[in-house]
Structures are given as C-alpha cells and as structure tokens.
Amino acid sequence: MIEITALASSSKGNCYHVTDGKTSLLLECGINFKEIQKKLDFQTSSIAGCLVTHEHADHCKSIKDVARAGINCYMSSGTADAIANKHHRIKTVEAKKQFTVGTWTILPFDVQHDVSEPYGFLLANEAGEKLLFATDTFYIKYRFNGVTHLLLECNYSLDILDENILNGSVPQVMRKRLMRSHMSLENFKEFIRANDLSKLEEIWMLHLSDSNSDEARFKREIQEQTGVPVYVP
Ligand SMILES: [Zn+2]
Ligand SMILES: [Zn+2]
C-alpha cells in the first residue's frame, strides 16, 4: 500500500515522501535537509532514493545534503548539469528508460517547463500500484494506464489569473510565462479526461500558486470530476 506524506508543496519548496511499505523515496528535496529530517522524525536513513524533476531551487534546495547523507539522487543529465554538483550519489537517468530502486520500478519521462531537461516520473511497485508524479509542467504529452495515485501540479486557474491581471495584482508578463511553464486547472482536468483512470484511488494537487489559485474550489471540482479523494497539501 502506498503511503504519501507531503513535507512541502508550493513555490517556496517541494518535497514528498512516498513508501510502499518496503522502499521509501523522496520526491524532490526543495526544503532544508534539517526540515526534511524533522518532518520525518529523523527516519531519513531508510530513504532509498530521491527523484528530482528539475533544477529550480524549490525542487532541489538541499540536494548537497541529501547526497551527503548517502541517498542516491536521480535526475536527467540536463538537470544534473544545471545543478552542477558532482557528488557520486547524483545519478543521471534517461527518459523512457526504466530503472529500479528497491521495490519500485521507475520510468522518467520528459515534461514541459522553462528549464533544460525536466522530468516527470511513473513509479510502479510489486503490489501493482502505480504512482504518477509530475510538477512544473504546463502539459503532459503522454497517456498512462492504470495509475492508482496521481500527484500532479495544479498551479493556477486561468479565470483567477486573468482577474488578478485585470486588477493589477499580477503583472501581464506573468501570464505568458505561467502558460508555458506551469499546470493550469484547465489542463489538469484535460489530463484526467484523456487518461485511463479506472484504477485511480487518490489525487494530490500540488504546487498551488499563492495568488492565482483557490484551494477549496480546485479540490471540489476535481473531486466532482473523478469521485476519488483529493488532497491539497
Ligand atoms: Zn516549482
Ligand atoms: Zn520550476
């Protein structure tokens, strides 16, 4: 059974802990390592790996400390180059080539963000569960079957963004950047419609913008659309 703990989820920092009861992993390390240790009751020695989607600090802030703690960190070579840390625990993996960490089989895939080589990850375990993790991408061009746990960014909704631009609280230039780098509620819904989610058990909506989102509404609308529990950490 997959257990998910969100340690942080916003543009200030992202970090999630997932375990299938046998192998535990970190998804991102965008907060201080001390904070990660504290939030996991100092049980970090059992962490088998850390998956990093891209080089923005809110996703990899503590990578040096995580590597130094003896945890293998997996990412694209573009991300590793951008992070520019040569620690032997930093491992590069290729898109669409599976690798294993303990009981997890992990498939990295390319996503759409304004950085060099960002990834999303599909994680499958021995119990047949599948966790899809993607953040900081305005679109996902792939389709997935049998996902049981969906962890996907939902940064903003277009109507709230446009309202904020109209009243001057968000600069106009932000619109273009967001639309080509982050997931909107509209694209989130479209992704759900386009995929086989017949096995879906739960959804986590990640990385909500402070100003361009509405947590209660996002949660309600996705819950209505899918009928499964929705968590907004
Ligand atoms: Zn981010
Ligand atoms: Zn980013």
Side-chain angles (χ1 to χ4, degrees):
M1 217 190 91
I2 294 179
E3 216 176 289
I4 299 158
T5 313
L7 311 187
S9 182
S10 78
S11 56
K12 286 183 213 79
N14 297 274
C15 185
Y16 312 92
H17 178 265
V18 302
T19 178
D20 59 358
K22 291 177 180 161
T23 307
S24 71
L25 298 173
L26 286 180
L27 307 177
E28 319 280 41
C29 54
I31 53 175
N32 289 328
F33 192 57
K34 279 214 172 91
E35 223 177 305
I36 297 176
Q37 288 177 306
K38 223 186 278 170
K39 291 197 169 168
L40 294 175
D41 292 327
F42 297 90
Q43 304 293 306
T44 42
S45 59
S46 60
I47 295 169
C50 175
L51 310 182
V52 176
T53 60
H54 67 293
E55 65 266 33
H56 284 156
D58 59 318
H59 298 262
C60 67
K61 188 179 181 186
S62 63
I63 187 109
K64 278 184 196 165
D65 295 324
V66 173
R68 253 187 238 137
I71 299 168
N72 288 333
C73 301
Y74 302 90
M75 65 198 73
S76 71
S77 57
T79 299
D81 287 348
I83 288 174
N85 187 292
K86 289 275 172 269
H87 199 282
H88 70 277
R89 292 285 176 186
I90 293 183
K91 315 269 186 200
T92 59
V93 288
E94 274 177 57
K96 291 183 242 175
K97 278 203 180 146
Q98 281 183 181
F99 64 98
T100 57
V101 180
T103 46
W104 294 102
T105 301
I106 302 165
L107 181 73
F109 57 92
D110 55 298
V111 299
Q112 320 297 317
H113 193 48
D114 53 353
V115 288
S116 52
E117 198 185 352
Y119 279 170
F121 297 97
L122 180 69
L123 295 83
N125 65 20
E126 292 170 340
E129 295 166 305
K130 277 191 199 174
L131 183 156
L132 183 71
F133 174 59
T135 183
D136 295 47
T137 180
F138 71 91
Y139 177 70
I140 296 175
K141 64 181 179 187
Y142 302 108
R143 299 290 170 257
F144 301 90
N145 289 318
V147 171
T148 53
H149 297 69
L150 176 64
L151 281 75
L152 182 60
E153 170 183 39
C154 190
N155 191 269
Y156 68 99
S157 80
L158 260 184
D159 56 327
I160 298 175
L161 176 63
D162 283 340
E163 213 177 277
N164 287 337
I165 288 169
L166 264 180
N167 69 31
S169 62
V170 170
Q172 174 79 43
V173 289
M174 272 292 279
R175 192 178 200 273
K176 214 174 181 181
R177 198 233 146 192
L178 277 176
M179 288 188 75
R180 311 201 122 267
S181 60
H182 285 281
M183 179 74 68
S184 67
L185 177 66
E186 293 75 13
N187 282 356
F188 192 107
K189 289 179 176 175
E190 188 52 45
F191 179 79
I192 284 173
R193 256 179 246 120
N195 282 272
D196 158 40
L197 297 179
S198 54
K199 298 217 170 87
L200 193 63
E201 291 171 23
E202 58 187 54
I203 295 177
W204 290 65
M205 302 178 83
L206 313 177
H207 208 303
L208 269 70
S209 150
D210 287 339
S211 43
N212 303 315
S213 69
D214 178 339
E215 183 179 327
R217 177 188 141 197
F218 284 16
K219 183 175 169 165
R220 188 182 62 242
E221 290 187 9
I222 297 304
Q223 217 147 4
E224 277 170 10
Q225 186 183 347
T226 61
V228 301
V230 175
Y231 304 99
V232 185

